[in-house]
Every structure is written in C-alpha cells, then in structure tokens.
Amino acid sequence: MVTSFWCMSKTMKNVNTFCLSNVIVHLSIVCLLWQCNSKAVTYVVHMDESYMPRVFTSQRHWYSSTVTSLDSATEHVNSSILYSYENALHGFSAALSPQQLQSLKETPGFISAYRDRAATLDTTASYTFLSLNVSHGLWPASNYGQNVVVGVVDSGIWPESDSFKDDGMVTQTPPKWKGKCQGGQRFDPSLCNSKLIGARYFNKGLLAAHDGDDDDTKIGSNSVRDSMGHGTHTASTVAGNYVRGASYFGYAKGTARGIAPRAKIAMYKVSWAQGAFASDMLAGLDQAIADGVDVISISMGLDMVPLYEDPVAIAAFSALEKGIVVSASAGNAGPSLGSIHNGIPWVLTVGASNTERSFGGTLILGNGKRFSGWTLFPASATVNNLPLVYHNNASACDSSTLLSQVARGSVVICDSVMDVNQQIQQVSLSAVYGAVFISSDPTLFETGKMTFPGLVISPHHGKNVIEYARATQPASATIKFQETFVGTKRAPTVASYSSRGPSWECPWVLKPDIMAPGSSILAAWVPDLPAAQIGPNVVLNNEYNLLSGTSMACPHASGVVALLRSAHPEWSASAVRSALITTASPLDNSGKPIEENGELSPRASPLAMGAGLIDPNRALDPGLVYDTTPQDYVNLLCAMNFTQAQILVITRSKAYNCSSPSYDVNYPSFVAFSADQSVTVERKFRRSVTYVGDGPAAYTARVSSSNGTQISVSPNRLIFKAKYEKRKFSLTLKSEMKKENAVAFGSLEWVEETGTHVVRSPLVVVPTNFVFNP
C-alpha cells in the first residue's frame, strides 16, 4: 500500500499523471485523497442573514466581500459570485476551491454549503376529461384564471407560438407584478405581450460546471428562447391561449388551450441542452418569488436529495410563506415503489394518468373484419388491400434483411418477443410496405412513436389476425391512420412511468398528492425541432406535439391551481392544496376503483395515484380544508432530527422553534409504517379541519380499509355553525399486514349530512423496507 505521495498538481495544470512514490498514481485519485487539487467547483452556500455587518448595504454586497476575502486562501484561484439569493433562501452560489470552502466554513454567518447538482426534466382535450365546462364550474367562476400569473420554471419558451398570443387577454398586469422580459440571443423583449409578461434565463451554474469546455457547452440561444421544446409544451399546457385547428399530423384535431387560458405566463429558463443545475434552478425560483407570481409550475427535480439540499424544497418553503402554491412533477421512474422525487411536504406533487382518449388506426382484413389499434404514424399513408404475410419464423421481424426476403411489398405481422420499438426500426429499414405489431406493452401506448406505416393491436385480436393470415390465401389487409378514439376504454389509469411513493425525502407525508393527465398530451412545440420521424432519415416539424410524462401532468395541476387562486384569492397555499387532494376522484369513468396501467391492471394504491384524479370543479367548493402552517412543517423537520442549521437552510429564519416536534402534520392524507408482517401497526393521528362553506353544516365520518386494517374516528361527527370555524378530530389505525411486502390502504370521508360535499383523505400502511431501503 502506498503511504506517502508527492503532489505537483498546483503548478502543472496539464499533467495527468504526476504524483510520485515507488509507483505512479493517477493524479485525480491522489488529489481526491489529499484534496491537493485547487480546481474550483460550484457550491450553493447558505448564510445567516442576521450576521451581516451593518457596513454592507445589501446581502449581495456582503456575499461578494466574503468571497473576495477567500481568494487569498488559494493561489491562482479567483472566485466570484454566480448568484445572490434573497427570496428562496439567504445565500449565494460560487465556484470555490477546497481551501476556499474550508475558509468559508469559518466565516461568521456560514450555515452550510453543498456542491451544485444536476436535475432531470420529467418528460388539447385533457380539459374535457377533467370536466372543465364553459357554462358552469371552475372555469367561469375563476374567469378562466384572468390576471393570475403562473411562473413556469423550465427550458424556455417559443414566444411566436399561437398559444402565447394575447388575443382576448386583459392588457394590464397585476399591481404586484415586478417582473420583466429579459432580452438575449434571438429574443427581443418586445416579444412579450399581455399573455407572456415575464421572461428570464439563468445559466451561470451550467457555464461554471463546463468551465473551459467550449466544445460541450453549446447552449444554443443564450436567452429565454426554447431550444428543447419542453418549456414551450408545459407553458402552453398550463395557460396557453385558444388555438383552432391544432393537431399532431392529423391526430387530436381541435382547439388547443391551456387549463387556465386567461392566466398570464412568466418563463424562467433554467434547463438547457446540457442539463439543469441546482444553482440555476434556485436562481429562477428566487426570481419568480421576487417577481410576484401566484403559482410556480416546475416539471423537473432531483433524486435522492435531502430536503435541506433540494432547491425545490428550499424555494417552495419561502413561496409557501408568501401564499404561492408550488406544483411539481413526481418523476418518470415508475412503477417501482419509492421512486418519486419532489416528495416535499409543502409542495403539490403530481403523478401522471392516462386519459380516455387514444390515437390509432384501423386494420381491415380481406374478409371484412376490422380491428382498432394504436399508431401515431405521422402521415396520411396509403396501405390499401396489400398482401398480408405471417412468417413462421418468429424472429422474422427482428431482421430487416429477412423481412425484405419474405414480405417485400406486403403487410407483415410481427409477434416476436423482441421489443416493439426495435421491430419498428427493423421494419423501417426493410422493403415491407406496412406492419401489424402484436403487443400489450403499456409503455408503448403511453410514450411510443410510430416511424413506419404500422399498427399495434392486442394479443387477443392478434390471434384472430394470425389465424386469418394462415388460413386464407391470398390474405390481404388495409390500414387506416390518423384516427382519434374517445371514451373507448376505462380511464383514468395510473401511467406505468409515473413515479411512486413513498417519498425518500420525507416518507411521513403521503406522496404523490394527486394525479393529472400526462400521457399523449397535445401542446405547443418549437417548430425548429423535429416532432416526428418517418423511417430512419426523414424528420417532420410541427407547431404542436404529443408528449408524455409527469412533466405534462404537472402543468395540468398548476393550471387548476391558477383557476382556484382566481376564484379564492383568500385561501392559503395549504388550503388550495387540501382542496385539490380531498376532492380528487379515486374512481374511473366506469365507477370502479382506478387501476394501474398494464397487463395485470392491479388496483392503484395511494402510493401510485395519491388521492386520485384531480377534479377542478369539485375543488372549487371542497366543504372542508386541512390548513397547515409553516410551523407545522418545522415541527415535522424537528421530528426528523434535522439540525438547527439544516432547518435554518429551509426556513431562513430563527423565528421558528422545535418546541413541539411531531411527525403528525395537519395534512389531508395519512401514512403509517409496518415494521414487518408479524407486527400489528397502531397509530393515532390528530387533525384539524376548517369549514369553508356557507351556513351551518354537519359532517359524519365514513371509513374504508383493506388488508386487515381497522380505522376509528373520534368524534365521528363534526358540527359547524359558521364559515371558517375549525374542528379537531383523531383517527386511530390498527393494521396487521397479512401478506409479505403488502401495502394496505383505505380512506376517511367526511360526508355532509344535508348536502353534497364528500371530503376524502387517502390512507396507506407501508412496509418499512419500502421506505428506508429504497
């Protein structure tokens, strides 16, 4: 074992291997062990504002002076502040060497510092699926979100899109609005209007991470202009204007519109082709809060990060204090349990569902039988009365060469076990004219694209088609494309990709909260980018695109939040979130419990769907709300054994205290943990509800449970005499898990005795190994 090293990295910048003993050791390993590398990396630094000397006129002045004083600690390293944060947190981000970081830790007012991290993006008729109606309900009650400002933290925006025209918009901006439109490359401030009222971009963290790496750092338009499409899509989903004749190459034809079509949009670009970094995310969130947005919609997040290092969690706490609702995507790592990100107690965490609408075509056999299937082939193709071929070699569709030999000029049936996407690729390279793929893979229908004149049908229908092809000579087939089917299946189902709870960051609060439409969502797109592909080489552009992910579900929920903000400006952020959770539907369009998407289609648990599908009209009038204060969340952090410094990172203030630590937050859902199947779980929850109805009312408790779980509520009847009265109750849960690794779940419903309100809270019992061993 090498016990001593001589490091020369300080003065020899271009030497890769220069640490000497009796052996040569790679420089990076040595400097990792001994921290002798002076290369600076970006850190997010949290400071205690109360330590700022009076000589400084601003926090930025103090931070800049502090960083400048560190330069003497390291030779050849000059640091400067990337961002100064004053709203989402108190602190800054800067590139620091190990020596500078150590010196900073000894500076008065220092709380904590952590390295910058990369985040991941969670990437028309959905409003009808949510029952939004022009004649009654939340749309007219909120005036379609008029003058509410939604801050979208994403990859930028394509301002010329018809979705961002300001036709019909109120011209004046809200009095509290302080934002602006920042010019840049290919983006003039004049592109903003009464719809798009704010536009800013943040990439200092990205540039610092790629310092000196010019070949890799090609950020495209150094401005708010979207070069990825993601931000344009999410922004138009949440608040896009009315656009007639929108479609995806003939699919989903109709009038596109956002969930809150009269709300205003402010775009904060933090995501670039090379990624998104926490320092840039914090800067965007910090600015959104300062600008005065009403809602923040963010369809990205970080995985396996503690709350006190999570930029969304840190910024969202500040937003909560100011009444700003933060809506965030749950992630696309499903269906594994414990895969969720943004599982933050004070954030609305949104999972993704499929809808009752599907896209496809029709297979017509020579004998006249017809079969509907899935396709998104982006052209009005002609596959008319061609020979239908089924080859006995099951792997024929795995080889373009073999296909060209056995099915040239024909429609081929593919039913091998090979991935359908790979089959589509092989068929595209062959001399085949059309294809029928047999599959029930849910991910294909949720996120797939079709680059060839093909149709995917179910295994059940596939048997009939194969039998026809074998028994009939000559067999023939016709395929029709560009069809949209509505109401032909049970919906919603939980999308297979949607990340599941429990939350690694905080398992004591149920996540996700709700789900919203996320699969095959039509919204605005960047016309410079491909929206579809035909074969291996032909790409097609379009002004609208179909995308899937919790990134698409999140802006649906954000749009509903904007509508509620307009209809109920007096509600707190927690009350808005409560209204959405307690009115969400656990049933599908057939009146049966929502299922997970897939071949087995098991009943969905709250770990997959939260409380269920968001229901905007019911959320307008929820009856009761569970209101939660910032101190309630601090009590939770105290119970989680966070240090004073870690809590201060999130709260930015010493005004909060740990006098009443508790895992029992006044949240509209319930979570308990089972140590193992042989132990009975017993847990008592205490809650308080606020009456937001008119006139006197009485509510009676109704419970349901599964898997040997018993629930009791005391008192089981709540009486309210006037609006805003509060009543307390307790819920006791006893559960003995009957099956290894089982998840037990149920619900508590407060049912209005002489009215129509049903205030529902999901309940779940989770095996501990799912929570603490993700």
Side-chain angles (χ1 to χ4, degrees):
M1 179 177 178
V2 178
T3 57
S4 63
F5 298 93
W6 176 37
C7 293
M8 300 180 62
S9 60
K10 278 189 179 181
T11 58
M12 307 193 69
K13 296 181 179 178
N14 297 320
V15 178
N16 289 327
T17 310
F18 229 90
C19 289
L20 303 181
S21 178
N22 295 326
V23 294
I24 297 177
V25 183
H26 194 277
L27 176 64
S28 62
I29 299 176
V30 176
C31 290
L32 177 63
L33 295 173
W34 289 92
Q35 294 187 344
C36 61
N37 190 348
S38 62
K39 180 179 174 67
V41 295
T42 302
Y43 286 86
V44 176
V45 180
H46 292 261
M47 302 289 286
D48 187 341
E49 185 187 23
S50 66
Y51 280 83
M52 185 177 76
R54 294 184 178 180
V55 67
F56 297 114
T57 58
S58 66
Q59 292 183 44
R60 185 178 183 86
H61 187 194
W62 177 35
Y63 303 150
S64 297
S65 176
T66 300
V67 171
T68 300
S69 70
L70 302 176
D71 290 343
S72 60
T74 306
E75 299 177 30
H76 310 299
V77 176
N78 294 315
S79 295
S80 61
I81 285 181
L82 301 179
Y83 298 109
S84 173
Y85 308 113
E86 299 182 11
N87 297 280
L89 67 148
H90 292 154
F92 60 92
S93 55
L96 303 171
S97 69
Q99 293 90 338
Q100 288 176 313
L101 178 62
Q102 187 58 42
S103 297
L104 178 63
K105 290 179 179 179
E106 300 169 2
T107 301
F110 173 85
I111 299 176
S112 70
Y114 47 87
R115 291 187 64 164
D116 206 0
R117 290 184 173 92
T120 57
L121 295 172
D122 297 324
T123 200
T124 58
S126 51
Y127 69 89
T128 61
F129 185 61
L130 297 179
S131 300
L132 287 167
N133 192 290
V134 296
S135 62
H136 63 272
L138 186 53
W139 256 357
S142 66
N143 205 7
Y144 302 87
Q146 181 172 299
N147 249 16
V148 173
V149 182
V150 181
V152 182
V153 181
D154 215 293
S155 68
I157 196 166
W158 193 266
E160 294 87 354
S161 170
D162 287 346
S163 289
F164 307 124
K165 288 184 175 181
D166 59 1
D167 299 345
M169 296 292 297
V170 174
T171 55
Q172 70 268 25
T173 57
K176 68 174 183 177
W177 177 247
K178 301 175 183 177
K180 68 175 186 179
C181 283
Q182 178 184 3
Q185 189 177 5
R186 299 177 64 204
F187 192 99
D188 190 273
S190 63
L191 289 169
C192 286
N193 55 23
S194 296
K195 165 61 74 175
L196 177 63
I197 65 170
R200 297 177 186 257
Y201 64 97
F202 307 87
N203 56 21
K204 294 177 181 178
L206 169 71
L207 295 174
H210 291 266
D211 185 27
D213 197 1
D214 294 333
D215 291 337
D216 290 336
T217 308
K218 298 176 181 177
I219 61 175
S221 298
N222 192 24
S223 69
V224 189
R225 183 168 292 280
D226 191 2
S227 59
M228 298 169 63
H230 191 274
T232 297
H233 198 280
T234 58
S236 63
T237 301
V238 66
N241 212 333
Y242 298 86
V243 181
R244 293 182 178 178
S247 77
Y248 176 79
F249 303 102
Y251 299 94
K253 290 181 180 179
T255 299
R257 75 202 74 185
I259 297 299
R262 288 294 178 248
K264 298 181 183 294
I265 297 170
M267 174 58 70
Y268 301 86
K269 182 178 179 179
V270 304
S271 182
W272 307 77
Q274 293 72 23
F277 284 80
S279 58
D280 295 329
M281 291 173 64
L282 276 170
L285 290 162
D286 188 70
Q287 191 62 61
I289 295 170
D291 286 347
V293 302
D294 300 294
V295 183
I296 292 176
S297 183
I298 181 165
S299 291
M300 65 181 77
L302 287 81
D303 296 320
M304 305 292 284
V305 177
L307 292 172
Y308 51 82
E309 293 185 6
D310 186 333
V312 180
I314 294 166
F317 193 89
S318 174
L320 171 76
E321 293 176 314
K322 296 173 175 62
I324 302 169
V325 181
V326 178
S327 171
S329 53
N332 297 337
S336 300
L337 291 179
S339 56
I340 197 169
H341 65 202
N342 290 326
I344 303 161
W346 45 89
V347 164
L348 180 69
T349 311
V350 187
S353 78
N354 302 305
T355 70
E356 91 290 12
R357 184 178 68 173
S358 61
F359 307 110
T362 302
L363 170 66
I364 306 172
L365 302 181
N367 60 8
K369 290 186 177 180
R370 305 166 70 95
F371 301 93
S372 297
W374 174 88
T375 185
L376 279 175
F377 185 64
S380 181
T382 300
V383 179
N384 187 34
N385 199 30
L386 294 178
L388 180 65
V389 175
Y390 177 73
H391 199 269
N392 291 328
N393 184 347
S395 61
C397 291
D398 302 349
S399 167
S400 60
T401 302
L402 183 56
L403 280 170
S404 297
Q405 294 173 357
V406 302
R408 178 179 293 271
S410 302
V411 176
V412 65
I413 302 172
C414 298
D415 71 335
S416 77
V417 296
M418 186 179 182
D419 179 72
V420 173
N421 290 308
Q422 296 181 46
Q423 290 182 352
I424 293 172
Q425 182 180 7
Q426 291 301 314
V427 171
S428 298
L429 296 171
S430 73
V432 171
Y433 285 2
V436 178
F437 303 95
I438 299 173
S439 176
S440 58
D441 180 7
T443 61
L444 182 66
F445 311 125
E446 292 172 343
T447 62
K449 292 291 178 77
M450 180 65 72
T451 61
F452 181 81
L455 188 73
V456 182
I457 63 175
S458 69
H460 173 71
H461 290 154
K463 292 179 181 179
N464 296 326
V465 175
I466 292 174
E467 289 176 1
Y468 164 76
R470 282 175 167 171
T472 306
Q473 293 298 328
S476 64
T478 296
I479 304 177
K480 293 185 177 181
F481 300 94
Q482 297 178 322
E483 297 181 345
T484 300
F485 307 111
V486 179
T488 59
K489 60 179 182 178
R490 287 183 60 181
T493 56
V494 182
S496 62
Y497 56 79
S498 186
S499 292
R500 269 62 165 175
S503 165
W504 182 87
E505 291 180 289
C506 181
W508 291 275
V509 174
L510 176 62
K511 295 291 173 171
D513 291 305
I514 53 170
M515 64 178 185
S519 296
S520 297
I521 302 301
L522 183 73
W525 188 243
V526 173
D528 284 2
L529 295 177
Q533 183 174 335
I534 296 178
N537 301 314
V538 178
V539 294
L540 302 176
N541 296 6
N542 198 42
E543 293 184 351
Y544 287 82
N545 200 357
L546 289 171
L547 296 183
S548 297
T550 56
S551 279
M552 287 64 248
C554 171
H556 279 84
S558 305
V560 177
V561 170
L563 298 175
L564 288 175
R565 265 277 162 258
S566 178
H568 290 292
E570 75 281 6
W571 283 2
S572 68
S574 294
V576 171
R577 186 169 60 248
S578 172
L580 292 172
I581 293 172
T582 61
T583 59
S585 175
L587 305 177
D588 63 20
N589 56 4
S590 70
K592 298 179 180 178
I594 292 173
E595 297 179 342
E596 298 192 25
N597 193 34
E599 294 185 65
L600 299 178
S601 298
R603 180 178 175 181
S605 83
L607 296 177
M609 68 174 185
L613 182 72
I614 191 170
D615 189 331
N617 294 326
R618 288 192 61 217
L620 173 65
D621 182 19
L624 307 174
V625 295
Y626 293 76
D627 216 345
T628 313
T629 68
Q631 180 62 57
D632 293 331
Y633 292 117
V634 173
N635 294 341
L636 173 63
L637 300 179
C638 299
M640 293 171 65
N641 292 321
F642 278 28
T643 66
Q644 183 179 3
Q646 290 166 345
I647 293 174
L648 191 58
V649 163
I650 296 170
T651 63
R652 313 166 328 283
S653 170
K654 294 180 180 178
Y656 300 103
N657 63 76
C658 277
S659 60
S660 302
S662 175
Y663 291 116
D664 197 10
V665 181
N666 194 45
Y667 210 79
S669 58
F670 304 87
V671 181
F673 305 120
S674 166
D676 58 65
Q677 65 183 104
S678 63
V679 176
T680 298
V681 180
E682 185 168 352
R683 173 79 191 276
K684 188 172 186 177
F685 302 88
R686 291 177 173 83
R687 293 289 189 271
S688 172
V689 290
T690 303
Y691 177 54
V692 292
D694 295 315
Y699 286 78
T700 302
R702 182 171 65 193
V703 299
S704 64
S705 61
S706 66
N707 213 3
T709 301
Q710 300 176 6
I711 303 171
S712 60
V713 181
S714 178
N716 64 0
R717 189 170 185 262
L718 302 177
I719 300 174
F720 301 90
K721 295 180 180 179
K723 195 171 188 176
Y724 301 130
E725 281 189 344
K726 297 180 183 291
R727 294 291 182 266
K728 295 180 180 180
F729 69 91
S730 63
L731 181 148
T732 302
L733 174 151
K734 293 182 180 180
S735 180
E736 185 171 346
M737 309 303 285
K738 293 183 177 181
K739 200 160 95 177
E740 186 178 2
N741 292 338
V743 173
F745 54 92
S747 66
L748 162 67
E749 294 177 331
W750 286 107
V751 182
E752 188 177 17
E753 293 180 357
T754 59
T756 59
H757 295 100
V758 177
V759 185
R760 181 181 178 275
S761 294
L763 181 150
V764 65
V765 183
V766 188
T768 302
N769 62 301
F770 282 148
V771 179
F772 301 104
N773 297 288

